[in-house]
Amino acid sequence: MSFETYVLKSLKDGLRYVGSGENSHERLRRHNKGDYQFTKGHRPWVKIYVEQYETRSEAMKREKFLKSGQGRKWLNENLK
């Protein structure tokens, strides 16, 4: 089983969202359905970046980094 760290972008207001899980396609579907409180008001979402990991802890560690100041800087520089 593999795990993913993913970045979504709101087509409504350009907001960026970082998450992780086993299946980023299913998570994107659920974000667009409105299943998650934070992302519900910013629909629709598109996936703009995905990284694959062997363990949940690796994916969550990367998610935590991408949500940090340095991680946001990395995303800004690499997702132009």
Side-chain angles (χ1 to χ4, degrees):
M1 180 178 302
S2 69
F3 297 88
E4 300 172 324
T5 300
Y6 59 89
V7 180
L8 306 179
K9 184 174 182 176
S10 167
L11 294 179
K12 178 180 179 182
D13 54 21
L15 186 72
R16 198 168 53 203
Y17 177 83
V18 177
S20 63
E22 294 179 32
N23 184 334
S24 63
H25 299 296
E26 175 63 15
R27 292 296 296 265
L28 174 61
R29 186 190 70 74
R30 292 188 64 198
H31 283 291
N32 280 322
K33 183 180 170 197
D35 286 352
Y36 303 108
Q37 188 64 36
F38 177 79
T39 57
K40 188 175 186 175
H42 304 280
R43 294 177 285 175
W45 293 91
V46 292
K47 189 171 16 172
I48 60 171
Y49 186 71
V50 178
E51 294 177 348
Q52 300 277 332
Y53 294 94
E54 291 186 21
T55 66
R56 182 182 306 275
S57 63
E58 289 174 307
M60 291 176 70
K61 184 177 179 180
R62 183 63 169 169
E63 175 186 358
K64 185 175 180 178
F65 168 75
L66 292 176
K67 289 179 175 180
S68 72
Q70 283 199 330
R72 288 190 304 272
K73 181 180 176 185
W74 186 90
L75 287 171
N76 289 338
E77 291 171 355
N78 291 282
L79 297 183
K80 291 184 177 185

